[in-house]
Every structure is written in C-alpha cells, then in structure tokens.
C-alpha cells in the first residue's frame, strides 16, 4: 500500500518510508492512498488475541515488510504489557465499559504506538545497515513512552528534551532512571515551548539532520495512528454482539491522535456508532465540534497535562476528509488557520462526533463520583471522559493513563494514594539527566557527541 500527504505535494511513499519520514516534506501528514474495508473480516477477527489482530490489521498497510517479519515485530511490541488481555475491556455498569490502555511499560496509552514504532525503527536500522538518532521534546507522557520503545535497542539513540522541574517527578523518573546507555534525558532550563523551539531549529538544519540520521518523535507519525486503530477494533470485538452497533467511544483528547484512529477504523468498515471528543479546559476541539469553528487558544496548564494543547497536530487528517479529500483545499484551510488563527467548517457530520469539556475545578469531583458509583479509580485524563455519558448508547470510556501516575490529584479527590510496582521501583534508582540551556547550539553539541 502507498501513502499520500494531506497536502498533495509529496510523492506517495511505501509504509516504511512514510514511517521513517514522519512529517511529509510538503508539511502534510501521511494517510493511506485508499482506505481498506474490513467489514468482511469481522467474524474471522473475533477469535484473535491482541497481537494477532494487530498483525492482521497492519499487514494490509505494511505491505513492504515480509509478513513473518512483521509478525515478529508486532509480537515483540506487546510482550511488555502487564495485563494478558493487553487492552482489557471492563464492564462498570449497564451500557458502560472502561477500556484500559495503561498496562504498557510507561502506564499510558502511548505505549501501544511507541512500542511498535521502536521495533519498526530497529528493523529499519537492520535492513538499511544504518544507525538512527531519535529526538523529541515532551511535556510528559510521549517522551517516556518513546524512550521505553527504544530502550537498549542496538543502532539507536534517543534524546528527549523536557523543561527541567516542569514535568511530574514520576514522569521524570520514567525518562531519567532507565539505566540504558542509548537514552539521554535532557532537562533544559526553560519552558516546554523553549525546548520545542530549540528542537525545531535543530531539525530544520538539513545538513545536521542528514549527517546524524535524525528522526523526530511526534504525535503525527503514520505508524502511531495505525497502531492505535487496533485497540478500538479489539474492544469492539469483545462487546456482546447486540451492543456493537450502538457504541460511543469516549476519548480523552489532546492532539486528536487517539480519537482520529478510532474514526479512521469506522471509515474502514467497523460499524462504530459515534465518538466523544472529551477535552480538558484546553477546549479547542470541544469548541470545534460544538460550533464548527477551529480557533487557537492559549494553553492553560491543567490536572490532565497530557491534553494541554493549543492546536491539535493530528487534526489535519480529519480536515482532509472533511473537505472531500481535496489537498488544495487542505492547504487553503491550513493557510487560513496559520494566518488568522482560526477556520470555520460549514458542515461536518455532527452525528459521528460529540464533545465535552472538563475544567480543573470539575476533575476531582468526577474522580470521586466514579469511585463512589463504580468502585473505579480514574486518572485525571480518564476523568474528563466520565464527565458526561451518552444516554441510550453503549459508552466505552478509554482509560488513557494509570491513576498511579497522578497520586496527588487522586489523593485530593478520594483520600487514597494509588501506587504501581513499576513506579515504586523507580524511586530507588538514580536519576541520570543532563542539564542544558534551552538553546539549539548547546543541544546540538550534546547530540553531536553522543549520537550513534
Ligand atoms: C497523550 C495523552 C492523551 C491525549 O491523546 P491525543 O492522542 O493527543 O488526543 C490523553 N491522555 C493521556 C494520558 C495521554 O498521555
């Protein structure tokens, strides 16, 4: 299968090249040239375990990787999940389930994609007999998940920038206590935006980029979206047949990567009824799906920090379909958005997407209510999903992080401090971080010395 850019000015690429490229050179995002149709495979897929389903799904896209190799990469990606179901679907009440996506190594849903991406990178290094240096800037979960996807992998090194003192102590430990020699946790003095800007400058230096075979870790990689389709498929197949046609997936949303994957699966013939875009107080997507106006706001730090975004980097894939798959129109929308900070969509399918917004003032109360009513502890991101449930639908709330990652908020809400053995183990390990100025020159020099 080949993959095209939403902006239509990049030649179509095969799977491995599209994954290695990340952002298309024309500034667009990669999408399958045509979407496959799985509606004839539903009965056959019902009996498959998680990794088997993932393989059957991905093989349709990753046609340039031999099936036996792909199978090995997929299997290796889900061995470090602590729950045998990988993505357990737990009933809480009539018409209410929670889909737990936090049993991977860093206890957040990003492991589903980044474990796989790490293995794809390793495979590519082996095939091309080249090393690769991965760079990213993080305000939390992505950096930890990316690091754990590449931990100790030969031929790779990973450099993650984060604002010193501004990520949670547990998140920092997940990045800086791995003990792996190919991992560099770079604590920069500045804000997340400073780190991000320095990173952009380095990645914009084409000569430096080529010399060190740099690759950026970000939320728009094609492989991430495809890996995330699988847990929607898996959950849908676990539901009683009578409920499957009436499902609303409730998705705690930031960059629109997670919910986009579910929506694309629906477009591929899996009859999911609807999706709820559940935002925190950073509500650009809530406003979009209630009014049609997509307009940039300022970031307000929140109790659900992994959803603190200003523009949703994956939204362009939705726009591509919303404007009738017309790349010229996508370019026009993105141009207008860039120039004016907003764009208004005249018509989109309001039946497929509903939206809700949850402020910080509401989050502890929701955690307390869910605990009281269902005996379930939701992390602050998942709590945004529980804010409102659709009457008359089967609600499947995606639990995107373990509550143990956010002990302070949970203690405030219900007086219990959740723990997790993997986080406890980190507390006795040394923190190895490299303090750097948030300047491209300092970071570039560091990368130069440690690159593989
Ligand atoms: C990244 C993240 C989100 C937001 O996911 P998007 O794909 O950016 O919409 C939600 N919850 C948690 C815990 C996350 O780490």
């Amino acid at each position: 299968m080949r993959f095209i850019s939403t902006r239509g000015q990049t030649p179509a690429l095969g799977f491995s090249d599209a994954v290695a490229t990340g952002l298309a050179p024309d500034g667009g995002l990669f999408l399958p040239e045509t979407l496959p149709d799985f509606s004839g495979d539903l009965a056959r897929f019902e009996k498959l375990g998680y990794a088997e389903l993932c393989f059957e799904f991905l093989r349709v896209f990753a046609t340039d990787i031999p099936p036996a190799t792909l199978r090995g990469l997929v299997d290796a990606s889900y061995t470090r999940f602590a729950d045998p179901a990988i993505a357990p679907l737990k009933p809480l009440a009539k018409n209410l389930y929670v889909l737990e996506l936090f049993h991977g190594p860093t206890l957040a849903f990003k492991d589903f994609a980044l474990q796989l991406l790490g293995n794809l990178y390793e495979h590519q290094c082996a095939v091309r007999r080249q090393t690769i240096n991965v760079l990213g800037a993080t305000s939390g979960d992505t950096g930890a998940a990316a690091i754990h996807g590449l931990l100790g992998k030969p031929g790779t090194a990973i450099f993650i920038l984060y604002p010193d003192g501004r990520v949670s102590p547990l998140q920092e430990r997940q990045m800086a206590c791995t003990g792996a020699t190919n991992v560099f946790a770079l604590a920069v003095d500045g804000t997340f935006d400073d780190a991000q800007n320095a990173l952009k400058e380095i990645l914009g230096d084409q000569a430096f980029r080529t010399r060190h075979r740099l690759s950026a870790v970000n939320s728009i990689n094609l492989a991430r979206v495809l890996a995330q389709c699988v847990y929607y498929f898996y959950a849908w197949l676990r539901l009683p047949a009578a409920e499957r046609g009436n499902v609303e997936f409730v998705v705690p949303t930031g960059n629109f990567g997670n919910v986009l994957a579910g929506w694309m699966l629906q477009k591929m013939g899996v009859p999911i009824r609807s999706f709820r875009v559940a935002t925190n107080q950073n509500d650009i997507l809530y406003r979009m799906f209630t009014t049609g106006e997509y307009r940039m706001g300022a970031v307000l730090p929140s109790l659900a920090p992994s959803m603190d975004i200003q523009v949703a980097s994956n939204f362009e894939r939705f726009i591509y379909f919303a404007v009738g798959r017309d790349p010229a129109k996508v370019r026009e929308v993105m141009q207008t958005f860039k120039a004016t900070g907003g764009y208004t969509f005249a018509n989109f399918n309001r039946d497929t997407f509903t939206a809700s917004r949850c402020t910080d003032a509401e989050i502890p109360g929701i955690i307390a209510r869910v605990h009281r009513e269902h005996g379930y502890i939701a992390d602050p991101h998942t709590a945004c999903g529980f804010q409102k449930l659709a009457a008359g639908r089967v609600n499947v709330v995606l639990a995107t992080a373990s509550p143990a990652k956010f002990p302070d908020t949970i203690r405030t809400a219900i007086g219990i401090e959740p723990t997790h053995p993997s986080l406890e183990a980190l507390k006795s390990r040394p923190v190895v971080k490299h303090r750097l100025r948030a300047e491209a020159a300092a970071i570039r020099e560091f990368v130069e010395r440690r690159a593989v």
Side-chain angles (χ1 to χ4, degrees):
M1 180 178 286
R2 299 181 72 74
F3 298 86
I4 51 161
S5 164
T6 47
R7 299 198 189 174
Q9 295 179 322
T10 295
L13 296 179
F15 177 80
S16 296
D17 287 330
V19 170
T21 306
L23 187 70
D26 61 9
L29 277 52
F30 285 108
L31 278 170
E33 200 162 40
T34 53
L35 291 180
D37 180 5
F38 289 100
S39 58
D41 298 306
L42 303 179
R44 183 167 72 88
F45 284 178
E46 197 166 294
K47 296 160 212 69
L48 303 181
Y50 193 90
E52 286 172 300
L53 177 66
C54 184
F55 166 68
E56 290 295 337
F57 179 79
L58 287 180
R59 69 184 299 183
V60 175
F61 302 92
T63 47
D64 58 354
I65 301 179
T69 306
L70 182 65
R71 181 70 218 243
L73 296 173
V74 168
D75 283 350
S77 301
Y78 298 101
T79 51
R80 295 175 64 212
F81 281 63
D83 192 291
I86 312 295
L89 180 70
K90 300 189 171 169
L92 291 188
K94 186 173 172 354
N95 287 341
L96 177 60
Y97 296 82
V98 59
L99 177 63
E100 289 187 347
L101 301 176
F102 55 73
H103 296 287
T106 70
L107 312 182
F109 89 92
K110 294 190 171 70
D111 288 324
F112 277 85
L114 288 167
Q115 286 287 305
L116 179 75
L117 191 63
N119 285 310
L120 289 169
Y121 277 145
E122 184 183 19
H123 168 67
Q124 220 145 46
C125 288
V127 170
R128 298 185 177 175
R129 297 175 190 279
Q130 276 184 342
T131 55
I132 184 169
N133 291 288
V134 175
L135 259 68
T138 188
S139 52
D141 287 336
T142 305
I147 283 173
H148 286 260
L150 285 174
L151 210 59
K153 288 203 187 300
T156 73
I158 178 163
F159 304 81
I160 295 293
L161 282 63
Y162 63 95
D164 200 11
R166 300 194 200 199
V167 301
S168 85
L170 284 174
Q171 283 175 326
E172 178 170 58
R173 287 190 164 273
Q174 287 186 318
M175 296 190 276
C177 300
T178 65
T181 53
N182 70 330
V183 169
F184 301 96
L186 308 184
V188 302
D189 85 18
T191 62
F192 172 67
D193 287 336
D194 297 333
Q196 179 93 353
N197 289 336
L199 180 72
K200 271 195 192 142
E201 195 178 326
I202 294 170
L203 291 170
D205 178 347
Q206 207 55 48
F208 187 73
R209 201 174 166 149
T210 310
R211 181 150 34 108
H212 294 297
R213 293 164 308 284
L214 299 187
S215 177
V217 51
N218 49 40
S219 71
I220 54 86
N221 197 290
L222 170 76
R224 290 184 68 174
V225 175
L226 295 178
Q228 290 170 184
C229 293
V230 179
Y231 48 73
Y232 287 93
F233 212 158
Y234 186 73
W236 188 87
L237 290 165
R238 301 277 87 68
L239 287 166
E243 297 182 359
R244 288 181 190 164
N246 193 31
V247 181
E248 174 150 301
F249 280 105
V250 179
V251 189
T253 296
N255 272 316
F256 204 71
N258 195 353
V259 66
L260 175 91
W263 180 67
M264 287 194 36
L265 187 71
Q266 183 202 50
K267 291 180 118 25
M268 296 179 213
V270 180
I272 297 163
R273 183 82 176 72
S274 56
F275 297 90
R276 181 147 58 78
V277 174
T279 76
N280 65 15
Q281 57 203 17
N282 293 287
D283 61 354
I284 177 169
L285 290 172
Y286 167 79
R287 286 181 281 115
M288 162 65 211
F289 284 108
T290 47
T291 68
E293 188 185 18
Y294 184 59
R295 179 163 294 281
M296 211 153 113
V299 175
L300 290 173
S302 82
L303 295 172
S306 298
M307 289 154 47
D308 291 350
I309 55 105
Q310 188 175 27
V311 291
S313 54
N314 267 291
F315 197 60
E316 184 166 333
R317 288 190 167 104
F318 173 83
I319 294 174
Y320 176 81
F321 291 101
V323 299
R325 308 189 188 205
D326 176 354
K329 189 77 191 164
V330 174
R331 294 199 297 275
E332 186 195 312
V333 172
M334 296 313 292
Q335 200 63 50
T336 307
F337 183 70
K338 197 173 166 189
T340 67
Y343 191 88
T344 301
F345 292 86
N347 44 28
F348 60 92
N349 188 346
R350 286 169 195 268
D351 199 35
T352 299
F353 287 104
T354 62
S356 60
R357 164 181 55 190
C358 190
T359 64
D360 266 14
E362 296 168 288
I363 288 177
I366 295 170
I367 294 172
R369 173 172 58 78
V370 171
H371 186 242
R372 195 169 59 240
E373 289 177 0
H374 306 296
Y376 191 80
I377 303 180
D379 94 285
H381 303 80
T382 308
C384 295
F386 276 102
Q387 188 198 37
K388 174 180 113 180
L389 296 171
R393 299 254 168 106
V394 177
N395 292 265
V396 177
V397 179
L398 274 57
T400 52
S402 162
K405 289 189 94 166
F406 305 93
D408 297 342
T409 306
I410 306 293
R411 189 180 352 90
T412 306
I414 58 174
I416 296 171
E417 189 163 309
T419 59
H420 190 282
S422 82
L423 295 176
E424 290 307 304
L426 286 176
K427 290 181 184 165
S428 59
R429 302 177 66 162
V431 173
V432 181
K433 61 175 173 180
H434 306 270
R435 285 203 178 83
L436 294 175
R437 276 169 293 124
E439 286 164 14
I443 296 159
R444 192 194 321 248
E445 197 226 340
F446 186 95
V447 172
E448 189 115 54
R449 272 189 289 126
R450 308 299 185 98
V452 290

